[in-house]
Amino acid sequence: MGKLKIKFHPLFALYVFLCIYFSWFNKIFYYVVVVTLHEFGHYFAAKHYGYQMESIIFSLSGAGITTHNKFAEKHDIVISICGPLINLILITITICLWWIFPLSYLYTYDFLITNLVVMLFNLVPIYPLDGGRIIIDVLSLRGKDMGKCLKIN
């Protein structure tokens, strides 16, 4: 398997520059870290099933992994769930840190909120978000036509 490349859309680079200019560095930093970990959840699940992933592309609308593979429905459900699952694990770890080290709340609150937003947004049942992919794959497994499912969604 080749190495996973990380690419940035030019407008995303401009957005990062503006965030740094307006002193929002911590927010864009948390966003990039959280979305990267979310996408690596998809990457490692796909790699587990033997699919080859090419790159992570960051854009203004989020991030995504590019591939030339067509996933089997059962595999795609697991691959789609793994991104939000990573966010849920990070949320749980962050809350546990708050119990163990209450002062860490001051430094990790934005990280937790970013994880929560990314997880919930990706679970919205609209294709091509993770929630929409899961619903379409479940309907496909139940014998529904993929084309009709995409039109309904």
Side-chain angles (χ1 to χ4, degrees):
M1 282 183 128
K3 290 188 175 188
L4 185 69
K5 298 173 187 163
I6 297 180
K7 299 178 181 178
F8 295 95
H9 189 275
L11 289 177
F12 182 78
L14 178 64
Y15 176 67
V16 169
F17 173 76
L18 288 173
C19 287
I20 293 170
Y21 180 77
F22 289 111
S23 301
W24 299 332
F25 177 75
N26 63 335
K27 291 182 183 5
I28 194 66
F29 175 76
Y30 287 139
Y31 173 76
V32 170
V33 168
V34 166
V35 169
T36 303
L37 292 172
H38 174 96
E39 294 301 327
F40 270 112
H42 297 307
Y43 170 75
F44 287 119
K47 188 176 175 183
H48 171 74
Y49 287 118
Y51 297 108
Q52 190 157 0
M53 311 307 278
E54 295 167 7
S55 63
I56 297 177
I57 299 177
F58 287 89
S59 65
L60 285 179
S61 60
I65 293 186
T66 59
T67 182
H68 290 297
N69 299 318
K70 171 136 175 47
F71 302 137
E73 285 88 2
K74 288 182 182 180
H75 295 167
D76 196 23
I77 292 171
V78 174
I79 292 168
S80 296
I81 288 173
C82 283
L85 183 63
I86 291 294
N87 295 119
L88 182 62
I89 290 168
L90 291 171
I91 289 168
T92 305
I93 290 170
T94 304
I95 291 173
C96 289
L97 275 175
W98 291 353
W99 288 337
I100 297 168
F101 305 107
L103 196 56
S104 68
Y105 174 83
L106 299 171
Y107 305 104
T108 57
Y109 177 76
D110 287 339
F111 182 72
L112 179 116
I113 295 301
T114 306
N115 269 297
L116 190 61
V117 168
V118 169
M119 181 185 73
L120 293 175
F121 178 75
N122 275 282
L123 288 175
V124 171
I126 298 173
Y127 189 82
L129 298 176
D130 297 335
R133 294 178 70 92
I134 292 167
I135 287 175
I136 287 174
D137 290 330
V138 167
L139 291 174
S140 277
L141 285 174
R142 296 196 178 255
K144 305 296 181 196
D145 180 32
M146 182 74 106
K148 287 183 181 179
C149 291
L150 286 171
K151 285 181 182 178
I152 292 171
N153 198 354

